[in-house]
Amino acid sequence: MVTIKKIADLCGVSRGTVDRVINDRGNVKPETRELVLNMAKQLGYKPNPAGKALSARKKHPVVGVLLSSEGNPFFEDVIRGIKLAAEKYEIYGLKVIWRNMRGYDVSSQYEIMEDLKDKVNALIINPVNDPVIIKEIDEFVDTGIFVVTVNNDVDNSKRQCYVGSDYINGGETAGALLQMIIPSGANIGIIMGSSKVLGHKQRLAGFEKNISKNPKFKIVDIQENDDDDISSYDKTKIMLEKHKEINAVFIVAAGVYGACRAVLSLDKQNDLTIIAFDTVPTTIEMMKKHVIKAVIYQHPYRQGQRAMQIVFEYLVNGISPDKSKHIMKNEIKILENL
């Protein structure tokens, strides 16, 4: 077993110096630090878990988690991934402050962020893409708070890392999938979450780009449901009653169950091809009823787990993310491969 004493002897420094380098505390000359770290790496040094935990507890790592999860079942798996990862790290003294909100109201998210600012060392956030929130994220980073955006990102912020899907690719995949299912063409109604969300806009853009290559496919109407099932029901029903020619529906984000209930209420489930995202229980129910033809899965559990892992590595081990975006692959799901 490689010990701190062995590293110290080989480097010609004291055990205290090696301890300060390994645990990132105290002042050590840059050249000495580099020498110790290189020797530790060459020898395959692994810190003692108990000692590492004690050192981490002295840093009092606190992570804020802010998600637009109220009324959106998609986030249940994101939260499960974050929670299970956080439980593993409790030995290191890591604590989590949970905050959730409904929809994408800028002022609500800003107020929660302000409340968290002096309580956390890191923030995992599903952000609204608005200048007010972007500025607030930048202020968090400027004050030394480590920020990871999860499931959705924002334009040009200082956040350290994004964990989620490639939304443009998700939209392109949905467009290609729709053309495979009904190659004869379609008049499409779109139900999207919110134009305040960067990912939703990107997914719509990817879809539009893909189908624009085929003159047989036309977007008839676009409605926003704010990721809310009740709003989704109302908006979908009105859209289908107004535009009788619609024979395909693309549901960009959440509100899938509400949209499908509207389709069923109009007895149009056999007249429409519906493509949506993710495999929450109510969406699976609608697939089994043959209301939804296919969905695109974006690995919500892994998104949550990876976000918390990145935060832990930074707060406890001082390891910065090796890339600014950690992308989960979009995966097509049909009833037969759920």
Side-chain angles (χ1 to χ4, degrees), residues 127-129 152-155 167 194-203:
V128 180
N129 189 40
N152 258 298
D153 207 359
V154 291
D155 286 314
Y167 278 85
S194 172
S195 55
K196 297 176 185 176
V197 178
L198 179 61
H200 297 180
K201 290 169 63 178
Q202 290 177 331
R203 193 174 279 167

Side-chain angles (χ1 to χ4, degrees), residues 211-225:
I211 66 164
S212 67
K213 304 170 187 176
N214 192 333
K216 297 178 183 178
F217 288 79
K218 176 186 175 184
I219 295 174
V220 176
D221 194 9
I222 301 174
Q223 294 293 324
E224 295 188 16
N225 64 15

Side-chain angles (χ1 to χ4, degrees), residues 36 60 132 144 245 262 280 301 320 323 330:
V36 170
H60 306 292
V132 170
E245 72 274 24
V280 303
Y301 172 82
S320 297
K323 49 190 174 184
N330 291 301

Side-chain angles (χ1 to χ4, degrees), residues 22-300:
I22 295 296
N23 293 295
D24 195 25
R25 59 171 179 260
N27 294 322
V28 179
K29 292 179 180 179
E31 57 270 24
T32 303
R33 177 182 174 81
E34 185 178 356
L35 173 66
V36 170
L37 289 176
N38 286 338
M39 183 61 68
K41 185 177 180 180
Q42 289 176 30
L43 297 174
Y45 172 75
K46 302 289 183 185
N48 179 281
K52 184 177 176 183
L54 180 61
S55 175
R57 284 178 181 276
K58 292 178 180 178
K59 297 179 182 179
H60 306 292
V62 180
V63 183
V65 178
L66 172 51
L67 304 173
S68 300
S69 56
E70 285 188 26
N72 189 344
F74 166 81
F75 281 101
E76 290 176 10
D77 273 349
V78 177
I79 291 169
R80 185 168 64 89
I82 293 174
K83 280 186 174 179
L84 288 177
E87 286 172 7
K88 284 171 49 182
Y89 304 140
E90 284 178 354
I91 186 176
Y92 301 98
L94 186 138
K95 299 183 185 300
V96 180
I97 300 175
W98 294 89
R99 296 288 187 269
N100 62 330
M101 54 183 282
R102 178 180 289 273
Y104 302 101
D105 181 70
V106 174
S107 60
S108 296
Q109 188 161 89
Y110 173 79
E111 288 173 9
I112 296 171
M113 291 179 74
E114 277 291 293
D115 179 61
L116 288 172
K117 190 178 286 184
D118 62 351
K119 299 174 182 175
V120 302
N121 312 110
L123 177 68
I124 297 173
I125 182 172
N126 170 240
V128 180
N129 189 40
D130 184 271
V132 170
I133 301 303
I134 294 169
K135 182 181 178 183
E136 187 75 350
I137 288 173
D138 290 350
E139 288 181 6
F140 267 60
V141 174
D142 288 342
T143 58
I145 298 171
F146 187 79
V147 178
V148 173
T149 54
V150 66
N151 184 248
N152 258 298
D153 207 359
V154 291
D155 286 314
N156 303 317
S157 78
K158 294 180 181 179
R159 61 98 179 106
Q160 278 87 354
C161 187
Y162 161 68
V163 180
S165 68
D166 181 334
Y167 278 85
I168 293 175
N169 175 260
E172 291 173 336
T173 302
L177 184 59
L178 183 62
Q179 292 175 74
M180 291 174 64
I181 296 172
I182 43 174
S184 57
N187 293 308
I188 307 161
I190 294 179
I191 301 294
M192 71 178 290
S194 172
S195 55
K196 297 176 185 176
V197 178
L198 179 61
H200 297 180
K201 290 169 63 178
Q202 290 177 331
R203 193 174 279 167
L204 176 60
F207 182 83
E208 290 175 326
K209 178 184 176 182
N210 188 275
I211 66 164
S212 67
K213 304 170 187 176
N214 192 333
K216 297 178 183 178
F217 288 79
K218 176 186 175 184
I219 295 174
V220 176
D221 194 9
I222 301 174
Q223 294 293 324
E224 295 188 16
N225 64 15
D226 212 33
D227 277 355
D228 179 80
D229 275 314
I230 294 174
S231 174
S232 192
Y233 176 91
D234 293 337
K235 297 287 182 68
T236 303
K237 190 170 184 179
I238 291 169
M239 182 178 71
L240 293 176
E241 287 175 332
K242 181 179 179 181
H243 300 285
K244 306 291 186 184
E245 72 274 24
I246 289 176
N247 64 339
V249 175
F250 174 42
I251 306 172
V252 175
V256 176
Y257 187 71
C260 290
R261 293 304 307 174
V263 170
L264 289 169
S265 74
L266 296 171
D267 196 28
K268 292 181 71 68
Q269 61 272 23
N270 297 322
D271 304 325
L272 297 169
T273 297
I274 300 178
I275 292 176
F277 277 80
D278 295 301
T279 56
V280 303
T282 50
T283 298
I284 292 174
E285 175 191 337
M286 289 301 168
M287 293 181 77
K288 289 179 177 178
K289 289 181 177 180
H290 303 288
V291 179
I292 297 173
K293 294 294 189 295
V295 298
I296 298 167
Y297 182 64
Q298 52 181 334
H299 303 279

